[in-house]
Amino acid sequence: MSEQNTVEAETAYGRVSGLAGDDCVRFLGIPYAAAPAGDLLFAAPVPPQPWPGVRAAHSLGPTAPKPPLGGRLGEITSDPDIEGEEWLNLNVWTPDPAGSGLPVLVWIHGGGFTTGSSAVPSYDGTTFARDGLVCVSFNYRLGVYGFGYLPDAPAPANRGLLDQIAALTWVRENIANFGGDPDNITVAGESAGAMSVLALLSREDGLFHRAIVQSGTAHLGQTPADAAKVLAAVADELGVEPTVEALAGVDTEELLKAQNDISAEVSQSPDTAKYGASTMASCGMSFMPVVDGDVLPRRPIDAIADGAGSDVPLLMGTTTEEFRLFVVTTILVGWNLPILYDKHLKAYSVPDGSWDEYKKGDSSTYPRNAATGVACALLSDRMFRIPTYRVAEARIANSAAPTHLYEFGWRSPVTPNNVQVKIGACHSVDLPFAWDTLTLPDSLKLTGPNPPQALATALHRAWADFARTGEVSWAAYDTVKRPVMTYARDNTATNAVVEDPRETEREWWDGHPATN
């Protein structure tokens, strides 16, 4: 790379050089914390050691250890592995590192708190830099290393959340050197990243000024007792004690295999007695933030209902058919009898009578012609749509800042199974649209050929506009009209505000503890 194609910027720990392109300058793989190795493996993040001279930030940094995405899911989604110990690194895309006052968008990736990274090809911040924003993405510790509950650890719980706080602190303290405005930061996330955003919002650290939450829930948080059950199961699978010393001595690949085995058992064969009600209530994930009274003092929904983050404008979205990703890519796609889902519905605290209620629902909005369709509609609402509405409802009474809701209804034709069932408007299918990265080969694995660019242009613009100004083109949510911007309404080319979509099913959940 010739000298004219590199650009330098200053950080608190030393100078870095990035690569200049047509649309922006990319600074990749910058450490925001020291490598979590040795005594730091289960400790809170600490600042990196300053480096002499100029550090090349020309390629993506190492990703956190994680199990591979296997099976059908691995065929349609990408989760790159980059080796190295410096997992706690971030990337900056800026239209002008010598500028000032540019709005900042910080991305927290999803992956169920066990997979994912900032190296996913669809998360190319060039598209936001093209639109005048400084875009930042970062990696954080996952699974046992990031969220396993270990009472004898220097940081017993929520190390992954602590990593996220450290990354956001780095952004606040350094982003002005890349042209960004530290007083105009929007944090965005999807799935586990969205849940992280809500957890951080509930803490009120003042590290960001707006938030975008895609396919998240604030009804999450294991109790320490339930988190200990999951960690103990992993340790038992490995034949060791659930202690820092024992787990630190286990080969990483062996630990990841045991972690993956327990995670599969939790999601595919949910057992409330074995893994705890709080594990199942939080979408059946094995690892997640723990309500420890310290890093996460309360469930995010409870803190938000009491006014936490009330001054932060919020943009929240779901896909219409969220849960199809977790059904049509697994053995569940062949479950054609309602009784087969009983264990899942009970573990996830779905109210009695819900199956019949959803079976008679609107098939034009969501196919109900098979047991899989009914299950997906029901669990999409239980896990994502209704919890999203609950956050918006909770903020209406005590928030000075608005909450805007949207729904993404475009159905992908991809059929990642042997029975030709489409993934539809499933969890994460919206991401290449929000990032405006539809043309990438990795995006097309999820969308299929010829996805509608006009839809990507519209959703991406909404995200970018919100990050710049905190405003979008439709009204804030209220409990009278309940406006929801619906992208690709009924899988058409129409984007329109719908008032109180699927009202009967929304009302079904009123008063049920599962979503209160």
Side-chain angles (χ1 to χ4, degrees):
M1 183 62 66
S2 62
E3 183 67 27
Q4 67 241 28
N5 290 324
T6 63
V7 178
E8 294 184 9
E10 190 71 42
T11 79
Y13 307 104
R15 292 188 68 78
V16 292
S17 72
L19 298 180
D22 293 336
D23 296 313
C24 67
V25 180
R26 303 162 178 82
F27 296 86
L28 308 177
I30 303 172
Y32 67 84
D39 292 341
L40 295 178
L41 183 60
F42 293 105
V46 300
Q49 287 294 318
W51 54 83
V54 180
R55 177 178 177 131
H58 300 170
S59 59
L60 294 166
T63 54
K66 49 191 167 57
L69 286 178
R72 304 291 186 175
L73 182 61
E75 294 174 5
I76 62 172
T77 56
S78 297
D79 194 13
D81 285 310
I82 301 175
E83 295 185 356
E85 286 190 337
E86 286 187 321
W87 318 330
L88 305 184
N89 59 77
L90 54 75
N91 314 299
V92 180
W93 292 262
T94 175
D96 183 8
S100 64
L102 296 172
V104 180
L105 177 72
V106 182
W107 175 248
I108 304 180
H109 72 78
F113 298 106
T114 58
T115 62
S117 76
S118 66
V120 172
S122 294
Y123 308 155
D124 182 355
T126 302
T127 59
F128 286 105
R130 173 200 67 199
D131 295 333
L133 283 77
V134 177
C135 183
V136 180
S137 65
F138 62 84
N139 297 323
Y140 55 95
R141 279 174 284 186
L142 303 168
V144 170
Y145 296 130
F147 295 93
Y149 183 64
L150 287 163
D152 68 331
N158 300 316
R159 293 172 294 277
L161 275 183
L162 291 171
D163 293 342
Q164 295 171 10
I165 293 168
L168 286 167
T169 301
W170 186 99
V171 171
R172 183 181 62 186
E173 295 176 350
N174 293 274
I175 206 64
N177 294 332
F178 296 82
D181 182 355
D183 295 318
N184 189 4
I185 296 172
T186 298
V187 62
E190 186 266 350
S191 193
M195 299 173 201
S196 297
V197 171
L198 290 168
L200 296 169
L201 180 74
S202 75
R203 283 176 47 90
E204 296 191 292
D205 292 318
L207 292 173
F208 51 90
H209 310 92
R210 286 182 285 279
I212 300 174
V213 172
Q214 171 60 39
S215 301
T217 174
H219 292 69
L220 87 161
Q222 284 173 309
T223 65
D226 288 349
K229 292 177 183 177
V230 174
L231 197 283
V234 173
D236 186 62
E237 183 90 354
L238 292 165
V240 301
E241 292 297 313
T243 64
V244 168
E245 182 179 5
L247 291 171
V250 173
D251 177 76
T252 297
E253 294 303 316
E254 292 181 19
L255 186 144
L256 293 177
K257 182 181 183 305
Q259 172 187 299
N260 206 35
D261 289 345
I262 298 304
S263 294
E265 181 175 328
V266 169
S267 62
Q268 299 296 331
S269 303
D271 187 336
T272 301
K274 184 174 182 180
Y275 295 113
S278 69
T279 299
M280 296 307 157
S282 301
C283 304
M285 293 182 297
S286 50
F287 295 92
M288 70 190 83
V290 176
V291 181
D292 61 351
D294 179 19
V295 180
L296 191 64
R298 307 170 65 190
R299 279 195 321 163
I301 187 61
D302 298 326
I304 290 168
D306 283 343
S310 61
D311 59 340
V312 177
L314 185 58
L315 175 63
M316 302 185 74
T318 62
T319 67
T320 303
E321 304 174 306
E322 294 273 7
F323 216 77
R324 290 183 75 83
L325 183 69
F326 312 111
V327 170
V328 301
T329 62
T330 69
I331 60 170
L332 275 65
V333 72
W335 289 12
N336 58 3
L337 296 174
I339 194 173
L340 297 174
Y341 293 93
D342 282 354
K343 190 172 184 179
H344 282 75
L345 301 184
K346 183 178 180 180
Y348 298 153
S349 303
V350 171
D352 293 341
S354 295
W355 189 276
D356 290 339
E357 180 68 25
Y358 273 73
K359 186 176 181 180
K360 65 185 182 185
D362 183 0
S363 294
S364 66
T365 300
Y366 205 135
R368 315 291 174 95
N369 59 342
T372 52
V374 178
C376 289
L378 175 54
L379 291 172
S380 292
D381 278 5
R382 161 67 183 89
M383 300 302 188
F384 297 101
R385 185 171 78 107
I386 301 304
T388 294
Y389 288 3
R390 292 291 185 258
V391 172
E393 292 163 353
R395 283 168 53 91
I396 288 171
N398 56 20
S399 290
T403 304
H404 299 271
L405 298 189
Y406 69 88
E407 184 173 313
F408 185 87
W410 182 80
R411 292 177 177 145
S412 169
V414 170
T415 56
N417 48 67
N418 295 325
V419 291
Q420 298 303 300
V421 177
K422 299 175 182 177
I423 59 173
C426 71
H427 189 73
S428 77
V429 75
D430 56 307
L431 286 176
F433 293 84
W435 282 80
D436 196 9
T437 52
L438 284 182
T439 60
L440 297 179
D442 284 88
S443 298
L444 295 175
K445 292 192 300 182
L446 187 61
T447 66
N450 304 313
Q453 176 59 44
L455 181 57
T457 299
L459 182 58
H460 178 78
R461 181 187 298 123
W463 277 36
D465 286 348
F466 185 81
R468 275 192 291 265
T469 67
E471 298 179 355
V472 289
S473 64
W474 66 96
Y477 194 76
D478 61 57
T479 53
V480 178
K481 293 185 176 181
R482 298 180 182 272
V484 178
M485 170 59 80
T486 304
Y487 290 98
R489 182 183 181 187
D490 297 334
N491 201 39
T492 68
T494 301
N495 303 328
V497 175
V498 178
E499 293 183 356
D500 204 359
R502 302 188 294 288
E503 175 184 2
T504 300
E505 291 168 356
R506 176 190 59 75
E507 290 178 340
W508 174 255
W509 296 93
D510 288 349
H512 286 297
T515 57
N516 284 351

PDB file of all heavy atoms in Angstrom, residues 243-258:
ATOM      1  N   THR A 243     -15.076 -23.729  38.265  1.00  0.00           N
ATOM      2  CA  THR A 243     -14.251 -22.694  38.881  1.00  0.00           C
ATOM      3  C   THR A 243     -13.372 -22.040  37.822  1.00  0.00           C
ATOM      4  O   THR A 243     -13.146 -22.596  36.733  1.00  0.00           O
ATOM      5  CB  THR A 243     -13.342 -23.290  39.969  1.00  0.00           C
ATOM      6  OG1 THR A 243     -12.422 -24.207  39.363  1.00  0.00           O
ATOM      7  CG2 THR A 243     -14.178 -24.007  41.036  1.00  0.00           C
ATOM      8  N   VAL A 244     -12.848 -20.879  38.157  1.00  0.00           N
ATOM      9  CA  VAL A 244     -11.951 -20.174  37.250  1.00  0.00           C
ATOM     10  C   VAL A 244     -10.722 -21.017  36.946  1.00  0.00           C
ATOM     11  O   VAL A 244     -10.326 -21.167  35.778  1.00  0.00           O
ATOM     12  CB  VAL A 244     -11.539 -18.818  37.851  1.00  0.00           C
ATOM     13  CG1 VAL A 244     -10.375 -18.214  37.069  1.00  0.00           C
ATOM     14  CG2 VAL A 244     -12.714 -17.858  37.869  1.00  0.00           C
ATOM     15  N   GLU A 245     -10.107 -21.561  37.965  1.00  0.00           N
ATOM     16  CA  GLU A 245      -8.884 -22.331  37.763  1.00  0.00           C
ATOM     17  C   GLU A 245      -9.116 -23.518  36.850  1.00  0.00           C
ATOM     18  O   GLU A 245      -8.333 -23.778  35.928  1.00  0.00           O
ATOM     19  CB  GLU A 245      -8.336 -22.815  39.103  1.00  0.00           C
ATOM     20  CG  GLU A 245      -7.027 -23.587  38.979  1.00  0.00           C
ATOM     21  CD  GLU A 245      -6.481 -24.028  40.328  1.00  0.00           C
ATOM     22  OE1 GLU A 245      -7.163 -23.815  41.361  1.00  0.00           O
ATOM     23  OE2 GLU A 245      -5.356 -24.587  40.356  1.00  0.00           O
ATOM     24  N   ALA A 246     -10.219 -24.237  37.068  1.00  0.00           N
ATOM     25  CA  ALA A 246     -10.481 -25.427  36.269  1.00  0.00           C
ATOM     26  C   ALA A 246     -10.794 -25.068  34.823  1.00  0.00           C
ATOM     27  O   ALA A 246     -10.259 -25.674  33.888  1.00  0.00           O
ATOM     28  CB  ALA A 246     -11.632 -26.217  36.881  1.00  0.00           C
ATOM     29  N   LEU A 247     -11.641 -24.090  34.619  1.00  0.00           N
ATOM     30  CA  LEU A 247     -12.046 -23.734  33.260  1.00  0.00           C
ATOM     31  C   LEU A 247     -10.931 -23.045  32.484  1.00  0.00           C
ATOM     32  O   LEU A 247     -10.818 -23.208  31.267  1.00  0.00           O
ATOM     33  CB  LEU A 247     -13.284 -22.846  33.297  1.00  0.00           C
ATOM     34  CG  LEU A 247     -14.566 -23.559  33.755  1.00  0.00           C
ATOM     35  CD1 LEU A 247     -15.684 -22.568  33.984  1.00  0.00           C
ATOM     36  CD2 LEU A 247     -14.984 -24.612  32.731  1.00  0.00           C
ATOM     37  N   ALA A 248     -10.086 -22.283  33.182  1.00  0.00           N
ATOM     38  CA  ALA A 248      -8.960 -21.639  32.508  1.00  0.00           C
ATOM     39  C   ALA A 248      -7.974 -22.673  31.986  1.00  0.00           C
ATOM     40  O   ALA A 248      -7.227 -22.408  31.028  1.00  0.00           O
ATOM     41  CB  ALA A 248      -8.264 -20.669  33.448  1.00  0.00           C
ATOM     42  N   GLY A 249      -7.962 -23.857  32.596  1.00  0.00           N
ATOM     43  CA  GLY A 249      -7.044 -24.903  32.168  1.00  0.00           C
ATOM     44  C   GLY A 249      -7.577 -25.794  31.065  1.00  0.00           C
ATOM     45  O   GLY A 249      -6.874 -26.674  30.579  1.00  0.00           O
ATOM     46  N   VAL A 250      -8.824 -25.574  30.661  1.00  0.00           N
ATOM     47  CA  VAL A 250      -9.433 -26.387  29.604  1.00  0.00           C
ATOM     48  C   VAL A 250      -9.078 -25.807  28.236  1.00  0.00           C
ATOM     49  O   VAL A 250      -9.106 -24.590  28.039  1.00  0.00           O
ATOM     50  CB  VAL A 250     -10.974 -26.429  29.781  1.00  0.00           C
ATOM     51  CG1 VAL A 250     -11.630 -27.131  28.603  1.00  0.00           C
ATOM     52  CG2 VAL A 250     -11.332 -27.130  31.084  1.00  0.00           C
ATOM     53  N   ASP A 251      -8.730 -26.676  27.314  1.00  0.00           N
ATOM     54  CA  ASP A 251      -8.471 -26.235  25.939  1.00  0.00           C
ATOM     55  C   ASP A 251      -9.696 -25.500  25.392  1.00  0.00           C
ATOM     56  O   ASP A 251     -10.843 -25.923  25.603  1.00  0.00           O
ATOM     57  CB  ASP A 251      -8.166 -27.453  25.073  1.00  0.00           C
ATOM     58  CG  ASP A 251      -7.968 -27.078  23.612  1.00  0.00           C
ATOM     59  OD1 ASP A 251      -6.906 -26.553  23.277  1.00  0.00           O
ATOM     60  OD2 ASP A 251      -8.912 -27.309  22.820  1.00  0.00           O
ATOM     61  N   THR A 252      -9.439 -24.402  24.696  1.00  0.00           N
ATOM     62  CA  THR A 252     -10.545 -23.568  24.219  1.00  0.00           C
ATOM     63  C   THR A 252     -11.509 -24.339  23.335  1.00  0.00           C
ATOM     64  O   THR A 252     -12.734 -24.199  23.455  1.00  0.00           O
ATOM     65  CB  THR A 252     -10.002 -22.350  23.446  1.00  0.00           C
ATOM     66  OG1 THR A 252      -9.227 -21.539  24.335  1.00  0.00           O
ATOM     67  CG2 THR A 252     -11.131 -21.516  22.871  1.00  0.00           C
ATOM     68  N   GLU A 253     -10.999 -25.166  22.432  1.00  0.00           N
ATOM     69  CA  GLU A 253     -11.876 -25.920  21.538  1.00  0.00           C
ATOM     70  C   GLU A 253     -12.757 -26.892  22.319  1.00  0.00           C
ATOM     71  O   GLU A 253     -13.937 -27.072  21.992  1.00  0.00           O
ATOM     72  CB  GLU A 253     -11.049 -26.664  20.491  1.00  0.00           C
ATOM     73  CG  GLU A 253     -10.312 -25.750  19.531  1.00  0.00           C
ATOM     74  CD  GLU A 253     -11.256 -24.808  18.798  1.00  0.00           C
ATOM     75  OE1 GLU A 253     -12.321 -25.269  18.339  1.00  0.00           O
ATOM     76  OE2 GLU A 253     -10.925 -23.606  18.686  1.00  0.00           O
ATOM     77  N   GLU A 254     -12.197 -27.516  23.339  1.00  0.00           N
ATOM     78  CA  GLU A 254     -13.000 -28.428  24.160  1.00  0.00           C
ATOM     79  C   GLU A 254     -14.077 -27.669  24.915  1.00  0.00           C
ATOM     80  O   GLU A 254     -15.229 -28.129  25.031  1.00  0.00           O
ATOM     81  CB  GLU A 254     -12.092 -29.180  25.149  1.00  0.00           C
ATOM     82  CG  GLU A 254     -11.129 -30.166  24.504  1.00  0.00           C
ATOM     83  CD  GLU A 254     -10.286 -30.893  25.551  1.00  0.00           C
ATOM     84  OE1 GLU A 254     -10.683 -30.900  26.730  1.00  0.00           O
ATOM     85  OE2 GLU A 254      -9.231 -31.431  25.180  1.00  0.00           O
ATOM     86  N   LEU A 255     -13.712 -26.519  25.453  1.00  0.00           N
ATOM     87  CA  LEU A 255     -14.695 -25.712  26.167  1.00  0.00           C
ATOM     88  C   LEU A 255     -15.823 -25.281  25.243  1.00  0.00           C
ATOM     89  O   LEU A 255     -17.011 -25.339  25.608  1.00  0.00           O
ATOM     90  CB  LEU A 255     -14.024 -24.503  26.803  1.00  0.00           C
ATOM     91  CG  LEU A 255     -14.916 -23.639  27.705  1.00  0.00           C
ATOM     92  CD1 LEU A 255     -14.125 -23.100  28.882  1.00  0.00           C
ATOM     93  CD2 LEU A 255     -15.533 -22.488  26.925  1.00  0.00           C
ATOM     94  N   LEU A 256     -15.473 -24.852  24.031  1.00  0.00           N
ATOM     95  CA  LEU A 256     -16.497 -24.413  23.085  1.00  0.00           C
ATOM     96  C   LEU A 256     -17.421 -25.557  22.685  1.00  0.00           C
ATOM     97  O   LEU A 256     -18.635 -25.353  22.504  1.00  0.00           O
ATOM     98  CB  LEU A 256     -15.856 -23.809  21.842  1.00  0.00           C
ATOM     99  CG  LEU A 256     -15.107 -22.488  22.040  1.00  0.00           C
ATOM    100  CD1 LEU A 256     -14.456 -22.055  20.732  1.00  0.00           C
ATOM    101  CD2 LEU A 256     -16.040 -21.402  22.541  1.00  0.00           C
ATOM    102  N   LYS A 257     -16.877 -26.754  22.556  1.00  0.00           N
ATOM    103  CA  LYS A 257     -17.729 -27.895  22.214  1.00  0.00           C
ATOM    104  C   LYS A 257     -18.720 -28.180  23.329  1.00  0.00           C
ATOM    105  O   LYS A 257     -19.917 -28.392  23.077  1.00  0.00           O
ATOM    106  CB  LYS A 257     -16.891 -29.131  21.934  1.00  0.00           C
ATOM    107  CG  LYS A 257     -17.724 -30.342  21.522  1.00  0.00           C
ATOM    108  CD  LYS A 257     -16.883 -31.565  21.273  1.00  0.00           C
ATOM    109  CE  LYS A 257     -17.769 -32.723  20.788  1.00  0.00           C
ATOM    110  NZ  LYS A 257     -18.897 -33.023  21.699  1.00  0.00           N
ATOM    111  N   ALA A 258     -18.238 -28.185  24.574  1.00  0.00           N
ATOM    112  CA  ALA A 258     -19.135 -28.423  25.701  1.00  0.00           C
ATOM    113  C   ALA A 258     -20.173 -27.310  25.811  1.00  0.00           C
ATOM    114  O   ALA A 258     -21.357 -27.559  26.061  1.00  0.00           O
ATOM    115  CB  ALA A 258     -18.330 -28.528  26.993  1.00  0.00           C
TER     116      ALA A 258
END
